[in-house]
Amino acid sequence: MTKVTVKLNSRTYPIVISHRMVEKELSDLLKKYSGKATRLFVVIDAKVYKLYAEVLDSTLSRCKQDVHIIRLKAGERAKGSRTLNRLYTFLLENEVSRSDFLLAIGGGVITDLSGYTSATILRGISWGAVPTTLLGVVDASIGGKTGINHAKGKNLIGAFWQPTFVYCNELFLSSLPPRQILAGLGEIVKYAGLCGGKMIEQLAQLQTSPTKEQLPLMRSLIVESVQYKADIVSKDEREGKLRMWLNLGHTFGHGIERSLSYGKLLHG
Ligand code: GLY
């Protein structure tokens, strides 16, 4: 298990990267960070729930809160005001209070959307992220940029709202289709371009469909990427200057995504 820290004074939080037992590790994190909550709200990608229902149900059953789960069909088109309103209704109908906790389990769309819901419901409740795509692990779940899309552009409505923890487990990445792995590698290529040196050399050794033998290499690239982003966010949370580096390539990328009305291309 590797722990990377985003250092933001009282809002400092851990990013745990692991390939061990989800049930024990995630339920321990939940107990630690949502201990005071009476209700635990889980927003999860329906596909992820279908694949990992047993392990997730067993994890959540270890937490003593009243657990409410909503399953969403993910995809860039879900990242808008309609789904946001669905989430507000789900929370309000279940009598969310300010001390309750939201857990987001899914890729970038689910974490951005859930984070923004947490930032805005009752003027803000705590949340945690369990990214289940490579892109979510190395980028979307870190740094508290939460938000939704608008017809005028991607991520134009949002808030900086940091999670209290991020938990990444390889188990969730093991079922990803090659296209999703490539999308995540898109962001890793970005970090390698920014870092240079060792990361470029490691990336050059990686095959586009990484094999089992390449797992250590992949793990190292993931940790390097997460550490790089965590360091930048720790120094410049609100994108005064330094954090802008992380937008490398995104002006074109967002333009292309928007011109295709979102959803045809993956973000990576
Ligand atoms: N994805 C870029 C950032 O979080 O700043």
Side-chain angles (χ1 to χ4, degrees), residues 46-62:
K47 270 195 196 155
V48 174
Y49 189 72
K50 207 168 166 192
L51 285 168
Y52 300 104
E54 205 175 315
V55 75
L56 291 170
D57 286 344
S58 148
T59 304
L60 296 171
S61 69
R62 293 175 185 223

Side-chain angles (χ1 to χ4, degrees), residues 138-145 155 160 187 190-191 229 232-233 236-237 239 242-248 250 254 267:
V138 296
D139 187 25
S141 64
I142 311 165
K145 271 191 186 173
N155 297 335
F160 287 97
E187 292 286 353
K190 175 190 84 179
Y191 292 119
K229 178 157 184 183
I232 294 233
V233 172
D236 179 20
E237 179 189 12
E239 202 172 280
L242 189 66
R243 189 167 174 172
M244 283 180 197
W245 290 3
L246 301 179
N247 298 335
L248 179 69
H250 282 62
H254 286 182
H267 177 65

Side-chain angles (χ1 to χ4, degrees), residues 3 7 12 29 37 61 71 75 79 84 91 98 114 120 122 125 135 143 145 184 194 198 218 266 268:
K3 195 173 121 186
K7 295 181 192 131
T12 291
L29 282 167
S61 69
R71 297 172 220 177
K79 201 174 143 182
L84 180 69
L91 295 174
R98 224 179 247 168
S114 305
T120 46
L122 306 180
I125 65 169
L135 193 137
K145 271 191 186 173
L194 290 167
K198 185 178 143 204
M218 194 69 185
L266 295 174

Side-chain angles (χ1 to χ4, degrees), residues 2 9 53 58 70 77 85 102 121 126 128 139 160 164 167 169 173 178 195 210 216 229 232-233 240 263-264:
T2 308
N9 302 317
S58 148
I70 184 165
R77 290 208 175 112
N85 265 317
L102 191 150
I121 193 87
S126 300
D139 187 25
F160 287 97
T164 52
Y167 178 71
N169 195 296
L173 305 186
C195 292
K229 178 157 184 183
I232 294 233
V233 172
K264 285 205 181 70

